Amino acid sequence: MNKDKEKKMAKNTAKTVTRTAALERTISYAEKVRLMVIEVLREETGRELTAKARFNGQTFDWEQHNADFRSDYADWSLEQLLEAARKFYGLKNLDAVKERRAAHKQQRAERIAQAS
């Protein structure tokens, strides 16, 4: 077989890459909201457990907490997450969760600014 035929056969048998439009590769707004609530709960829980560990002279592993929390609550519905936010942190609705998220972001930005 000559080299040109070999190249053509290799091209034909190579994996065909299909292009997907950018918006089709993103998650829905509802899923983004659900993930935001998970992240607020993760942050609030981590802060609480960090304080508890500090009080008891222990250390707290944020990386392990983050991985475990996301795994533990990945399948919860938005309604379940909002109920947990209300029950454990007094966040009565989605607007309260959004405000808490904004506060977390502001605190993080202030920590970064102080560190530099």
Side-chain angles (χ1 to χ4, degrees):
M1 204 180 297
N2 68 28
K3 297 234 182 220
D4 287 335
K5 281 188 177 180
E6 286 177 15
K7 285 181 183 178
K8 282 184 181 180
M9 286 183 68
K11 276 186 177 179
N12 290 339
T13 59
K15 229 184 218 183
T16 304
V17 177
T18 57
R19 185 182 162 285
T20 305
L23 287 174
E24 292 175 24
R25 290 181 283 159
T26 62
I27 59 176
S28 70
Y29 177 74
E31 181 63 6
K32 289 174 185 163
V33 170
R34 192 182 75 78
L35 292 174
M36 177 195 64
V37 177
I38 287 175
E39 291 306 304
V40 168
L41 286 171
R42 179 198 56 79
E43 181 74 18
E44 288 294 320
T45 304
R47 289 174 183 216
E48 183 177 334
L49 295 175
T50 297
K52 183 178 177 180
R54 190 178 316 122
F55 180 79
N56 292 320
Q58 301 168 338
T59 58
F60 182 75
D61 185 344
W62 267 97
E63 287 186 29
Q64 187 63 51
H65 169 70
N66 292 344
D68 291 345
F69 195 91
R70 288 176 180 135
S71 174
D72 291 343
Y73 300 101
D75 295 331
W76 280 34
S77 70
L78 177 59
E79 292 76 22
Q80 290 172 302
L81 293 166
L82 286 172
E83 178 58 25
R86 186 198 60 73
K87 180 179 177 182
F88 292 102
Y89 299 104
L91 302 172
K92 296 181 182 190
N93 55 38
L94 193 54
D95 288 335
V97 172
K98 288 178 181 180
E99 288 173 14
R100 188 66 57 93
R101 179 174 181 247
H104 289 167
K105 286 180 140 187
Q106 182 178 354
Q107 290 166 350
R108 189 174 306 117
E110 289 170 0
R111 280 195 308 269
I112 291 170
Q114 288 176 353
S116 53

